[in-house]
Amino acid sequence: MAQGHCYFGLQGDGFAREVIFNGAQSVGVCYGRIGDNLPNEQAVVGLYTSYGIKKMRIYDPNPATLNALATSPSIELILGVPNGNLQAIVADPFNAMTWIRQNVPSHPGVNIRYICVGNEVRPTDPAAPFVLPAMRNIHDALVSANNGIEPLIKVSTAVDGTLLGSSYPTSVGSFSDSSSSYINPIIQFLAEKRAPLLANVYPYFSYIGDPVNVDLGYALFTSPGVVVHDGVLGYQNLFDANLDAFYSALEKAGASNVQVVVSETGWPSDGGMAATIQNAATYYPNFINHAKNNGTPKRPARLIQGYLFAIFDENQKGPAETERHFGLFSPNMQPKYPISSF
């Protein structure tokens, strides 16, 4: 596999002026399309290729995106099933088979790694009762399309930190009483199928939720040493603490063998507290360098798999203004931070 390279050069003021990613093959970038000024899909796939980005997450089976990806099989894909489609997929297994037939074997050149059934569905959401049945139907449709053989494509769902009842210190991480009846059967399914849990992990939101007690450097990977001690484990950055809280919760749910893939992480460059170009230009390269070289304190031997959110600023996202400013690139495909390549 070709090696990308990207470096962050620091000027005398400590501000990151150039981004160069080097061999960051465990890191991908999410491609959202909630904007009215974004480039066409073929151009986007070309952008990924030109910067050596080897992993993409998309949130729906947009045919133009899948057609564009068919010419770039080196890009590994998380393919999303939107929350609004889950009920129909549960209503009739034939609908799941149709969804798979239209979006998987119909695009043989697309390198699909995971199918993400729903994104950040919470226990009280209308879609919640349909997540696990939809996961099962999608999985069974994949098996059927693969002549009855368990497929290499794994089926999962993406969750966020609101499902955790406790997360500090990391060792007490657990799913909340209100979410356990929802998430525990999903976790059991993942364990049975040897599939990972997808988790959206944002130190940014943890920081702005408690800026008095959470140091900005701890959130940006710039702390010079261990900040938080949790038994024999030491945490130098908030990302690892957030991720290990999920591992602690999985252990308490009897699923210590389930891996966590970070399906989103990022830092906004505008629109709210601590949302600056400088902070975003610090977070992204530091995360990449951390992920390509390290596991977490609880899982030190397992390199972090993560997806940066997102490739572009999306001007129709909301409601928070920060939601429009997570892009690595502006919609004109110019990097917001000087980028050489991944």
Side-chain angles (χ1 to χ4, degrees), residues 57-61 78-87 89 99-100 103 115-119 121 134 138 155-157:
R57 179 186 177 188
I58 60 176
Y59 295 85
D60 61 54
I78 297 179
L79 174 61
V81 182
N83 297 355
N85 291 3
L86 303 186
Q87 185 171 3
I89 286 172
W99 194 96
I100 290 296
N103 300 309
I115 293 179
C116 179
V117 180
N119 182 58
V121 178
I138 289 291
V155 177
S156 188
T157 189

Side-chain angles (χ1 to χ4, degrees), residues 45-199:
V45 171
L47 183 70
Y48 273 69
T49 301
S50 66
Y51 281 92
I53 305 171
K54 299 295 186 181
K55 297 184 178 185
M56 176 189 289
R57 179 186 177 188
I58 60 176
Y59 295 85
D60 61 54
N62 178 40
T65 304
L66 294 174
N67 289 336
L69 284 168
T71 62
S72 299
S74 63
I75 298 177
E76 187 179 279
L77 183 67
I78 297 179
L79 174 61
V81 182
N83 297 355
N85 291 3
L86 303 186
Q87 185 171 3
I89 286 172
V90 172
D92 188 340
F94 179 77
N95 294 338
M97 295 180 67
T98 299
W99 194 96
I100 290 296
R101 185 174 62 251
Q102 291 176 343
N103 300 309
V104 181
S106 297
H107 300 276
V110 180
N111 180 13
I112 301 172
R113 178 70 180 277
Y114 305 119
I115 293 179
C116 179
V117 180
N119 182 58
E120 295 187 349
V121 178
R122 295 168 182 174
T124 57
D125 289 350
F130 307 114
V131 175
L132 180 56
M135 292 171 67
R136 293 191 184 281
N137 284 0
I138 289 291
H139 170 266
D140 292 348
L142 279 171
V143 172
S144 178
N146 201 39
N147 299 315
I149 302 171
E150 187 71 23
L152 294 177
I153 299 170
K154 297 298 183 181
V155 177
S156 188
T157 189
V159 302
D160 65 13
T162 62
L163 298 191
L164 297 174
S166 301
S167 60
Y168 181 84
T170 293
S171 59
V172 306
S174 62
F175 294 108
S176 67
D177 292 342
S178 61
S179 69
S180 59
S181 62
Y182 163 72
I183 193 63
N184 284 351
I186 291 173
I187 291 167
Q188 292 170 11
F189 171 86
L190 298 176
E192 291 168 4
K193 305 305 179 186
R194 298 183 179 180
L197 176 67
L198 306 181

Side-chain angles (χ1 to χ4, degrees), residues 214-278:
V214 178
D215 181 71
L216 181 60
Y218 184 54
L220 293 173
F221 297 92
T222 59
S223 296
V226 171
V227 175
V228 174
H229 293 274
D230 185 7
V232 298
L233 302 180
Y235 289 88
Q236 193 170 345
N237 65 79
L238 182 55
F239 173 87
D240 281 353
N242 287 167
L243 181 50
D244 273 353
F246 276 104
Y247 278 120
S248 292
L250 287 168
E251 290 169 1
K252 291 179 178 64
S256 58
N257 62 323
V258 172
Q259 183 180 358
V260 179
V261 172
V262 178
S263 42
E264 291 180 12
T265 191
W267 197 284
S269 60
D270 199 359
M273 178 181 176
T276 67
I277 286 284
Q278 180 169 351

